[in-house]
Amino acid sequence: MYNGGKIIIGLIIFVALVTAPFFLSGKKATAKPDPKVDTPEILKLPVSERKCVESKEFMTAEHMKLLLEWRDWVVRDGDGVYINAEGKRFDMSLQNTCMKCHSSKKKFCDECHNYAAVNPYCWDCHIAPKEKES
């Protein structure tokens, strides 16, 4: 190898440049958020009605897809009732169905969206719920 030293130095510089943003970002890894589902609004409901639209696993993975489908079904098709896997009926409404129980946008929505570094556009059309002072 004629230029082995130069190649090794070049590789070290390349690796340093590629990994620098990770080391210099100043952000520390945080624990995965675990949004609470025992909000005061949920606790006001009878135990038999303390069920989400779908299972926790489904909602964790697919809630945005579900909300986008709801939007299309309501706005484009005029269908306003969702029937879940168990056959229970729900109004397709972010504000009146979802935010009725998950009343704290800061604690429920923003924690996960900030963790995942996503900025959904829900509140461009919907009115963000007013947070109660603690």
Side-chain angles (χ1 to χ4, degrees):
M1 220 194 255
Y2 294 106
N3 296 320
K6 292 178 184 177
I7 292 172
I8 291 173
I9 290 173
L11 286 173
I12 291 171
I13 291 171
F14 173 76
V15 169
L17 289 174
V18 169
T19 59
F22 298 105
F23 294 115
L24 299 176
S25 70
K27 294 186 178 183
K28 297 184 179 182
T30 58
K32 182 178 173 185
D34 185 24
K36 302 294 181 239
V37 291
D38 59 351
T39 66
E41 297 301 318
I42 292 173
L43 296 176
K44 288 179 188 175
L45 297 171
V47 176
S48 62
E49 292 183 29
R50 292 183 192 173
K51 290 237 177 202
C52 194
V53 175
E54 292 290 352
S55 69
K56 181 180 179 181
E57 294 77 21
F58 177 88
M59 294 307 290
T60 301
E62 303 289 335
H63 72 279
M64 196 63 211
K65 182 178 177 191
L66 181 69
L67 289 172
L68 291 173
E69 286 176 351
W70 281 14
R71 178 199 61 193
D72 292 346
W73 294 338
V74 171
V75 174
R76 296 179 183 158
D77 302 336
D79 183 13
V81 177
Y82 177 74
I83 302 171
N84 72 1
E86 296 175 357
K88 190 171 178 187
R89 301 168 68 89
F90 293 91
D91 288 333
M92 289 189 235
S93 172
L94 173 66
Q95 289 172 290
N96 298 326
T97 300
C98 302
M99 298 309 292
K100 182 176 110 184
C101 294
H102 306 295
S103 53
S104 176
K105 179 182 170 291
K106 273 185 195 170
K107 290 183 181 175
F108 195 78
C109 304
D110 294 346
E111 272 189 17
C112 292
H113 292 150
N114 292 340
Y115 175 78
V118 295
N119 191 12
Y121 52 88
C122 307
W123 310 113
D124 291 353
C125 300
H126 293 276
I127 298 169
K130 292 185 179 176
E131 299 291 331
K132 294 177 182 165
E133 299 289 325
S134 301

